[in-house]
């Protein structure tokens, strides 16, 4: 998409507000903020059309740092607010910034329903597997057994898999990326921004204070290539430092195979993000470290009419079948009588 | 083809009555709401003033014939203006023993009692906990009992229609309705037209219903059981075009009208809850008026989606009942903090918890006023009659956008489902609602989202407007520029400012109307749905020479500026409420007045007689001291 001729060319700076950014030094949020500011000018959309909505948590400070319209709302409810805003004004480009606590715990219900409705918006789930703003309690994505302030002997909850949840809720765009992998992050955000429907993006985001290195396996350059596999549409799933490993289907299950010795790329699972059936995407969402390399990139990207688009169509249809608005007829209803 | 001419005029003697209160009752599958609604429409078209009180069980289909499964519909129709559906019944139609059992206590001594004799079989009597058949044991001897085999007569009337036995039996409410139409000299045309329209896709059912309606009418005409026919002449009503309207219909229409007056799209975020759901249903019928309805996943999403819609410029509302208001509490606090216009409609029902979900109550007043965290004042207004819900919805909208604040509109189950004739306004006569969205920066330093006007309202800049990009949120913000602020003095200032802004709504409150003398022995103060009962009671007492006056409050926060002065002009103050004294508590706190209460929490509206008795006891006490 190229910018219309009459629009001034915007830069990342244009999207920065005058507010001082107050995340902890080294927080993964900085990188995400930078990438968002970088990709927005590439979309060719005027700045005033963007609306950033957040809930409560470290990530939810995000709207204050964007020089767009924004709302820092209450815990867990950003998606419902965003839905109302998008429905009331479908011209807006709505982004929701949430976290593993905000989006999956207190706001879990709204996540399911926003996604199933396919309201056009980008949902950025900053997943650091911890409650940061409240200083270190475990979250719905904390690892089983993880020791936190509220689980000194280890978490006995089993964690939720955000992408599995999104896919189960019929998400039309599902992706995963990592805060420090800025190039990949930018590409995923860019694709999410262009999706017509709900785009759900899980971002592995490091909390330096309360859960440092939680995603070291997926972000440390020296080891990550053995622990993650990049999803590329139309290409086989190959990973490893020497690109010598792959994912092959064994019946209904994926398995890690070493390339060579009769095993070649033609036997590997080829990624197709456009599959109508979400079963393979769901299977990919179940692949977890250390048993499997964790997939990064776009799991699923399909087209389905949006909620607000269907509503707009219904309003137009209603005018056609029920007639144009006439306030006096409306007030009178179907049966009146006259008193003289 | 359905014949639409009226059956022939009766030859029986006619007795004229000023007003009649009748109730249809039976199993919830017996079509009593339908019969009641048709009777109401017909009476209104006939020219009576009417007022209705539907009463249905919380269960959709409780086991047939049981006491919890009884559904009733009460109508008062009159040749003079009325405000309530009546206290005691002049006539009761009971379609089964359970209906008789749960309603007979409301029938006047000497009242007309019509029962469907067919249903008084051992099985149904047992389900209704009757040891003996009340039709035979003499227990009903103080009433004019008419035992009529309605099921059998209906079956005979429809023997040749080809409908199966179940479908035939389903028509019997129309037989009963036809009989009652004859009894009160009502024409059947309107109902025949309705049947034809309603069952246009099943002409055999339409024909059966029409036929049994006529047969019921003819039965009344010919049976020797009824020796007189009653006539309630037309009422002297203000000239104009009228329709019948329920409170929830009026609420829905009021918001559609308000949106149009404000040149806005209406957005409703709502989650189904009794007795508010019908507002959501109604508004779904008005999509061609640009109404956007969002059936949210829960009450919290309902209010927060409405907040999102308000931020981007819709006239935004959320509708619910008490439990839903409780869930919306945090969201309302956010709307207070962000100073966005939003209307929360609470159709009050019996509480706490699930309570009496289909019954009425006024016990959410203090929650509406104070039931939020922090200092979060909000204007609160209440509707007083079904049709008044229309004007209350418009007024709530006007306050919300003028003062940039969430507003609570209180109605209740009695208003929501009750109906009355309404002289419809001309849209062109309604005053517009002015809204100005800024298009330019309001300061040399940029757009200041909290720079206030003379009412202390902040500007409402809409996303999409170039150059006015700004952020709002739940954290305390500095006045004028709106950036997050933890400054202690700023917090105090903002708390005071938001409170003063809501207090400023008082400047728009018209002088309080007093029913009766402007001073005297006793002032009755009510609010909301008790208007009809209080007004009728006070008018009755005044006609008997009691020095009593009444004030009915629409504005609960802020209260009318002249209220304190009015209170001081009366020796005693009585506050009748369907709660344990919530307005009374408020009045005592605000005005240091020794207000007394008349309180009832039974899920039912006040009987006029209950208020009359209280007034008479208080005024007599005054005299005897």
């Amino acid at each position: 998409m190229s910018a219309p001729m009459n629009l001034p060319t915007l830069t990342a700076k244009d999207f920065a507000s005058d507010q001082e950014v107050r995340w902890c030094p080294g927080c993964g949020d900085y990188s995400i903020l930078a990438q968002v500011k970088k990709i927005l000018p590439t979309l060719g959309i005027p700045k005033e059309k963007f609306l950033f909505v957040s809930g409560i948590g470290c990530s939810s400070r995000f709207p204050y740092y964007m020089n767009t319209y924004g709302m820092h709302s209450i815990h867990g409810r950003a998606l419902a607010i965003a839905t109302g805003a998008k429905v009331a004004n479908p011209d807006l480009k709505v982004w929701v910034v949430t976290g593993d606590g905000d989006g999956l715990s207190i706001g879990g219900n709204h996540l399911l329903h926003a996604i199933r409705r396919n309201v056009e918006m980008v949902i950025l789930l900053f997943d650091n597997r911890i409650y940061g703003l409240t200083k270190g309690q475990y979250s719905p994505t904390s690892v089983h057994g993880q020791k936190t302030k509220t689980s000194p002997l280890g978490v006995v909850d089993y964690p939720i898999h955000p992408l599995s949840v999104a896919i189960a809720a019929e998400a039309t765009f599902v992706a995963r990326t990592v805060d420090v992998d800025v190039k990949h992050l930018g590409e995923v955000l860019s694709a999410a921004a262009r999706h017509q429907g709900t785009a759900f993006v899980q971002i592995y985001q490091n909390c330096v204070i309360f859960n440092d290195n939680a995603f070291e396996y997926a972000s440390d350059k020296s080891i990550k290539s053995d622990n993650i596999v990049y999803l590329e549409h139309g290409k086989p799933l190959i990973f490893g430092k020497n690109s010598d490993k792959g994912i092959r289907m064994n019946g209904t299950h994926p398995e890690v195979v070493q390339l060579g010795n009769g095993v070649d790329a033609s036997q590997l699972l080829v990624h197709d993000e456009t599959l109508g059936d979400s079963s393979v995407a769901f299977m990919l969402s179940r692949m977890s470290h250390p048993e499997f390399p964790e997939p990064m990139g776009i799991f699923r990207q399909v087209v389905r009419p949006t909620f607000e688009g269907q509503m707009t169509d219904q309003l137009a249809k209603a005018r056609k079948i029920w007639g144009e608005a006439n306030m006096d007829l409306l007030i009178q209803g179907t049966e009146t009588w006259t008193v003289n | 083809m359905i014949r639409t001419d009226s059956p022939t005029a009766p030859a029986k003697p006619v007795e004229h009555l000023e007003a009649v209160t009748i109730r249809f009752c039976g199993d919830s599958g017996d079509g009593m709401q339908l019969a009641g609604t048709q009777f109401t429409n017909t009476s209104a078209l006939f020219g009576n003033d009417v007022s209705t009180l539907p009463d249905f069980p919380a269960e959709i289909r409780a086991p047939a014939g049981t006491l919890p499964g009884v559904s009733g519909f009460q109508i008062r129709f009159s040749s003079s203006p009325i405000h309530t559906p009546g206290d005691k019944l002049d006539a009761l139609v009971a379609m089964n023993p359970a209906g008789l059992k749960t309603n007979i206590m409301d029938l006047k001594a000497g009242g007309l009692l019509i029962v469907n004799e067919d249903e008084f079989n051992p099985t149904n009597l047992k389900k209704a906990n009757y040891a003996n058949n009340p039709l035979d044991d003499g227990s009903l001897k103080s009433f004019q009992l008419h035992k009529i085999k309605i099921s059998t007569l209906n079956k005979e009337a429809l023997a040749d229609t080809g409908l199966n036995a179940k479908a035939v039996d389903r028509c019997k409410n129309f037989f009963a309705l036809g009989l009652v139409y004859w009894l009160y000299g009502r024409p059947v045309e309107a109902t025949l037209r309705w049947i034809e329209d309603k069952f246009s896709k099943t002409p055999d059912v339409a024909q059966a219903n029409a036929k049994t309606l006529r047969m019921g009418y003819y039965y009344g005409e010919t049976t020797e059981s009824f020796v007189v026919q009653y006539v309630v002449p037309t009422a002297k009503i203000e000239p104009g075009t009228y329709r019948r309207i329920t409170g929830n219909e009026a609420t829905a229409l009021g918001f559609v009208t308000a949106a149009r007056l404000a040149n806005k799209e209406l957005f409703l975020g709502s989650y189904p809850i009794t007795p508010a759901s019908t507002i959501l249903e109604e508004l779904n019928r008005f999509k061609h008026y640009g109404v956007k309805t969002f059936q949210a996943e829960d009450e919290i999403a309902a209010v927060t989606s409405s907040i999102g819609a308000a931020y981007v410029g819709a006239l935004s509302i959320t509708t619910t009942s008490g439990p839903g208001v409780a869930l919306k509490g945090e969201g309302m606090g956010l709307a207070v903090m962000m100073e966005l216009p939003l209307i929360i409609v609470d159709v009050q029902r019996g509480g706490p918890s699930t309570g009496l979900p289909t019954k009425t109550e006024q016990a959410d007043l203090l929650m509406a006023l104070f039931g939020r965290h922090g200092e979060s004042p909000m204007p609160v207004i209440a509707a007083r009659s079904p049709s008044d819900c229309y004007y209350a919805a418009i007024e709530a909208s006007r306050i919300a956008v003028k003062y940039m604040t969430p507003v609570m509109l209180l109605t209740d189950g009695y208003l929501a489902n009750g109906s009355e004739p309404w002289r419809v306004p001309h849209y062109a006569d309604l005053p517009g609602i002015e809204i100005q969205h800024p298009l330019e920066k309001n300061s040399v330093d940029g757009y200041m989202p909290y720079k206030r006007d003379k009412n202390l309202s902040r500007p409402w800049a809409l996303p999409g407007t170039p150059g006015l990009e700004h952020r709002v949120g739940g954290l305390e913000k500095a006045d004028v520029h709106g950036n997050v602020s933890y400054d202690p003095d700023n917090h105090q200032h903002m708390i005071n400012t938001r409170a003063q802004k809501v207090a400023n709504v008082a400047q728009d409150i018209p002088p309080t109307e007093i029913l009766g003398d402007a001073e005297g022995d006793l002032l009755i103060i009510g609010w909301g749905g008790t208007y009809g009962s209080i007004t009728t009671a006070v008018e009755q007492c005044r006609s008997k020479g009691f020095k009593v006056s009444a004030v009915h409050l629409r504005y609960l926060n802020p209260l009318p500026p002249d209220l304190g002065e009015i209170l001081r002009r009366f020796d005693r103050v009585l506050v009748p409420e369907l709660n344990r004294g919530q307005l009374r508590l408020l009045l005592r706190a605000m005005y240091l007045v020794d207000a007394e209460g008349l309180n009832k929490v039974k899920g039912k509206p006040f009987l006029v007689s209950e208020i009359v008795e209280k007034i008479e006891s208080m005024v007599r006490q005054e005299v005897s001291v």
Side-chain angles (χ1 to χ4, degrees), chain A residues 320-332:
Chain A
K320 218 175 265 174
I321 57 177
W322 292 338
E324 287 297 322
N326 175 323
M327 290 307 293
D328 282 313
L329 286 182
L330 172 86
I331 296 166
Q332 286 170 16

Side-chain angles (χ1 to χ4, degrees), chain A residues 17-19 22 47-51 61 63-75 77 80-90 92 106 109-111 113-114 116-117 307 311-312 314-315 318-319 322-340, chain B residues 41 44-45 237-244 253 256-257 260 265 267 284-298 300-301 304-305 307-309 311-312 314 330-331 334 338 340 390 421-422 424-427 462-466 468-475 483-484 486:
Chain A
S17 77
D18 59 359
Q19 297 295 295
R22 293 191 194 170
K47 191 162 63 109
E48 65 272 13
K49 297 277 188 194
F50 288 100
L51 170 60
R61 293 299 183 96
Y64 288 127
Y65 308 137
M66 298 295 298
N67 188 19
T68 64
Y69 287 92
M71 188 189 294
H72 175 216
S73 73
I74 47 177
H75 206 14
R77 317 304 170 197
I81 290 169
T83 299
K86 181 69 181 177
V87 166
N89 183 357
L92 297 173
I106 190 167
N109 192 33
H110 307 308
L111 186 77
H113 294 281
R116 80 171 165 89
R117 292 188 184 106
F307 180 80
M311 185 178 283
T312 304
Q314 273 200 351
L315 262 55
R319 285 189 190 98
W322 292 338
E324 287 297 322
N326 175 323
M327 290 307 293
D328 282 313
L329 286 182
L330 172 86
I331 296 166
Q332 286 170 16
T334 51
E335 206 160 1
T336 58
W337 66 94
T338 305
V339 174
N340 295 311
Chain B
N41 287 349
L45 285 169
I237 308 174
E238 202 179 340
T241 302
Y242 282 78
R243 65 169 288 181
R244 194 180 67 87
L253 280 185
V256 180
T257 305
R260 187 52 63 104
E265 275 187 351
F267 178 92
N284 262 292
R285 297 174 48 232
F286 303 138
K287 289 185 193 293
H288 51 321
Y289 289 80
V291 177
K292 289 178 173 170
T293 56
F294 174 59
Q295 184 175 314
E297 57 271 24
D298 58 31
I300 297 171
T304 48
S305 62
I307 290 170
Y311 181 59
V312 307
E330 190 189 11
L334 178 67
M338 296 195 300
L340 284 172
Y390 178 79
W422 176 41
V424 296
H426 293 292
Y427 175 72
L462 301 186
T465 313
L468 306 191
E469 292 85 358
H470 66 282
R471 274 65 60 195
V472 293
L475 283 169
N483 289 329
V484 172
Y486 297 102

Side-chain angles (χ1 to χ4, degrees), chain B residues 438-520:
Chain B
L439 299 172
E440 311 262 323
K441 294 185 170 78
N442 55 359
S443 147
V444 286
D445 298 322
Y447 174 64
M448 298 289 142
Y450 286 82
K451 189 175 170 186
R452 298 169 188 281
D453 67 11
K454 64 179 179 0
N455 298 319
L456 297 181
S457 306
R458 74 176 192 86
W460 189 9
L462 301 186
T465 313
L468 306 191
E469 292 85 358
H470 66 282
R471 274 65 60 195
V472 293
L475 283 169
E476 184 63 278
K477 53 197 65 61
D479 209 0
V480 184
H481 59 69
N483 289 329
V484 172
S485 167
Y486 297 102
D487 177 63
D489 291 335
N490 174 70
H491 183 51
Q492 180 79 58
H493 167 72
M494 291 297 272
I495 291 283
N496 294 349
T497 302
R498 287 186 289 262
Q500 185 57 50
K501 183 181 74 167
V502 171
N504 287 349
V505 173
Q507 69 198 8
D508 295 353
I509 300 178
T512 301
E513 282 177 32
I514 304 174
L515 171 64
D517 302 319
E519 54 183 49

